[in-house]
Amino acid sequence: MDMLWSGWGDPAKAAPLPDAIIGLLRDLLGVTTRPSGPATLDAIDVPPSPLTDGARAVLAGALAAEDALRDDAESRIRHTRGKSTPDLLRIRAGEVADVPAAVVLPGSHDEVVAVLRACAEHGLSAVPFGGGTSVVGGLAPETKRPFVALDLRRLDRLVAIDEVSRTATLEPGLRGPRVEALLNDKGWTLGHFPQSFEWASVGGFAAARSSGQASAGYGRFDEMVLALTLATPEGTLGTGRAPRSAAGPDLRQLVLGSEGALGVITAVTVRIRPLPRRRVYEGWRFSSFEAGTAALRRLAQDGPRPTVLRLSDETETFVGLAQPDAIGASDAPPSGGCVAVAGYEGTEIETATSRAAAREVLLAAGGEYIGEEPGDRWAHGRYNAPYLRDALLDAGAFAETLETAAFWSALPRLYADVREALTTALTEAGTPPLVMCHVSHVYENGASLYFTVVSAQGEDPVAHWEPAKRAANDAILAAGGTISHHHGVGTDHRDWYVREIGPLGARILQAVKAEVDPSGVLNPGVLVPVR
């Protein structure tokens, strides 16, 4: 199934906003419903493909399947940009000026290499396309050349499982649910469950350094990767002969997070874990975000660390976004304070022991146990927030997210400054916002903050968001945060990423790109600044 071209996911799962939320949007933010919905797919005027006959012939010759080169309007529209709110607003308005010239669907590593070489030969760019879930401009190259969307869905095999070493080798086109189904059938789990889980791909997980909602227990995706294969216009790079090595710098870490700018990941070997026998999630309430954050830090640093650990601030708790399925429901937890969710996975004994020990820590830190229902609600609705964003857009509201991370000592200032930057910029634009936040991932030394912003759309919603996004990015760097914890860099964060790594860091990346991609084929303008 293809993702909804003008929104998120499966259209059958979309649901309108509850009346209570529509009223809140109207009364609190001045949101008024817009009279027209998205353009229809067949009404979008797509320009003819700029592919020359020579380029088309060489690309088709690089692909084994007869239908692996597509330049029909629908295929090209469905591969235009990603799923950020500005992306969706533009595609809903029928804006397709940056539509790909064609979509190619290779079926093997060798075909990927051949496609990249064909692009180099004919002056084309190539944008790797996994699940299409980027929210940072990762699928919106900055190039004047025609480009092809390199759709990896046909590289979708579980290549091997090594049960002795507890590893699995996966191709990049596998989506999250399919990975879990293949592994679960053999008694294993990857344990990687980002919010984009239902649609994002293994290649995307690696290319964007994805972090799943159970990262406190299973780790980030980049921590799971033990080996990988990279296709470039200059050939193949293979990394990872052992779980750890002292044989020079680890080139795996150069490829992880490279967002298709240095090559196309065609296989990853990851560590796997036994399928848990028991999963249980529970809710806790704290008097303030500060108190809840302190409790999470105690667990992250001194243990026991739950598999899932997250905390919503007062505003997010009040609105009910901590439990997407409870928004507007009469049985939602009473307002006040902050809701945290803790989850435990493993054997019956492991789960019970960890849960009991964590409970002592949370009680000592001032937490109030509020039962399993809030945790169950979160688990049931954990992938629903993007659908909620679509419903907000339909109702005339603007909704967007951004995230960052910092050391624990820097977290309070980071939280305050980003909220202030967003509130000030959007208020000055005439659309005062509701800014919500939660601690999404925890580590011994720090944590990630995930912000959700809702406001009226204004006359030009994309234009009104851009200064707010810039202000938030500036505030993140000034407060000591990283420009992205798990969404990635793309084109949206690239200039701030350059500031974060410094001029020398940028030149190092440019030098690597010049070696593996001398013609500038791969995802131009994404991650690596153009010289």
Side-chain angles (χ1 to χ4, degrees):
M1 177 190 296
D2 287 322
M3 186 184 288
L4 177 65
W5 67 274
S6 60
W8 182 264
D10 180 357
K13 294 185 178 181
L17 291 175
D19 291 341
I21 296 300
I22 292 177
L24 180 67
L25 294 171
R26 181 185 63 246
D27 298 340
L28 184 63
L29 303 178
V31 171
T32 56
T33 303
R34 291 181 175 269
S36 60
T40 59
L41 186 62
D42 57 4
I44 297 178
D45 185 18
V46 180
S49 172
L51 280 186
T52 65
D53 290 341
R56 187 186 307 275
V58 173
L59 283 171
L63 302 163
E66 291 185 2
D67 65 341
L69 174 61
R70 304 175 183 177
D71 60 1
D72 61 282
E74 180 173 340
S75 294
R76 294 166 66 201
I77 290 170
R78 289 186 178 278
H79 290 79
T80 299
R81 298 185 293 269
K83 296 298 182 180
S84 70
T85 296
D87 287 343
L88 294 186
L89 288 168
R90 290 187 178 110
I91 201 73
R92 282 168 167 239
E95 296 179 20
V96 290
D98 50 353
V99 64
V103 180
V104 295
L105 295 95
S108 69
H109 169 86
D110 289 344
E111 288 187 28
V112 173
V113 173
V115 165
L116 296 179
R117 287 176 171 165
C119 288
E121 178 184 349
H122 286 273
L124 302 171
S125 297
V127 177
F129 192 100
T133 60
S134 172
V135 293
V136 293
L139 302 175
E142 293 185 354
T143 178
K144 295 181 179 179
R145 299 186 298 187
F147 71 95
V148 299
L150 207 164
D151 191 318
L152 298 165
R153 71 178 68 186
R154 288 180 172 169
L155 277 75
D156 62 352
R157 295 183 304 141
L158 169 59
V159 178
I161 286 185
D162 178 348
E163 297 193 348
V164 175
S165 303
R166 291 191 172 184
T167 69
T169 300
L170 311 168
E171 288 189 325
L174 285 167
R175 289 178 176 170
R178 182 60 178 158
V179 173
E180 280 299 305
L182 290 169
L183 293 178
N184 291 177
D185 186 55
K186 298 179 182 297
W188 302 96
T189 182
L190 182 59
H192 189 67
F193 305 103
Q195 192 172 78
S196 60
F197 169 76
E198 294 174 310
W199 295 94
S201 66
V202 167
F205 294 157
R209 286 190 183 271
S210 175
S211 191
Q213 295 169 335
S215 66
Y218 291 101
R220 292 165 52 95
F221 193 78
D222 52 325
E223 296 171 326
M224 300 176 182
V225 175
L226 303 172
L228 52 80
T229 303
L230 186 75
T232 83
E234 295 298 292
T236 299
L237 174 67
T239 69
R241 297 175 65 90
R244 296 291 184 272
S245 171
D250 189 348
L251 293 182
R252 288 174 295 194
Q253 297 305 318
L254 182 64
V255 175
L256 293 165
S258 59
E259 300 186 27
L262 303 181
V264 180
I265 296 168
T266 58
V268 293
T269 298
V270 293
R271 62 113 176 101
I272 54 178
R273 299 276 175 82
L275 188 65
R277 295 178 179 271
R278 171 90 164 123
R279 288 186 172 105
V280 59
Y281 307 99
E282 62 187 26
W284 289 80
R285 185 176 300 280
F286 291 90
S287 60
S288 67
F289 193 54
E290 180 182 8
T293 300
L296 266 60
R297 179 170 65 85
R298 287 180 60 180
L299 285 177
Q301 291 181 334
D302 302 323
R305 188 182 300 180
T307 307
V308 173
L309 191 59
R310 51 197 292 121
L311 170 75
S312 293
D313 71 359
E314 290 89 347
T315 307
E316 189 169 283
T317 297
F318 170 75
V319 171
L321 199 61
Q323 303 165 66
D325 280 12
I327 291 176
S330 60
D331 60 343
S335 61
C338 298
V339 166
V341 170
Y344 309 88
E345 300 183 9
T347 66
E348 293 284 353
I349 294 175
E350 289 170 342
T351 301
T353 301
S354 178
R355 187 181 185 190
R359 177 175 296 194
E360 291 185 11
V361 174
L362 293 171
L363 288 171
E368 174 193 357
Y369 178 66
I370 54 176
E372 293 185 14
E373 184 181 13
D376 289 341
R377 279 193 179 274
W378 170 82
H380 180 70
R382 64 196 298 183
Y383 307 127
N384 288 354
Y387 292 101
L388 175 63
R389 189 260 306 264
D390 286 359
L392 287 164
L393 294 179
D394 290 340
F398 181 93
E400 186 58 299
T401 62
L402 58 93
E403 43 75 40
T404 179
F407 295 112
W408 287 110
S409 59
L411 221 59
R413 178 190 169 189
L414 182 64
Y415 171 71
D417 288 3
V418 174
R419 281 175 52 88
E420 177 63 25
L422 291 166
T423 300
T424 299
L426 288 169
T427 300
E428 290 177 352
T431 54
L434 188 67
V435 180
M436 298 165 277
C437 181
H438 63 265
V439 174
S440 58
H441 305 82
V442 298
Y443 307 93
E444 180 180 357
N445 307 110
S448 170
L449 296 178
Y450 191 102
F451 293 88
T452 301
V453 188
V454 181
S455 72
Q457 289 188 9
E459 291 300 317
D460 186 341
V462 175
H464 107 286
W465 171 245
E466 289 174 350
K469 176 67 172 176
R470 289 196 298 271
N473 289 350
D474 288 341
I476 286 170
L477 293 190
T482 179
I483 197 60
S484 177
H485 172 263
H486 59 270
H487 281 171
V489 175
T491 52
D492 293 359
H493 294 154
R494 183 198 57 221
D495 295 345
W496 287 267
Y497 174 58
V498 170
R499 286 165 56 184
E500 183 173 328
I501 65 175
L504 179 58
R507 292 200 302 272
I508 290 171
L509 284 179
Q510 289 168 332
V512 173
K513 185 170 178 66
E515 188 65 30
V516 299
D517 184 23
S519 300
V521 166
L522 290 156
N523 232 1
V526 171
L527 182 70
V528 182
V530 178
R531 283 180 167 174

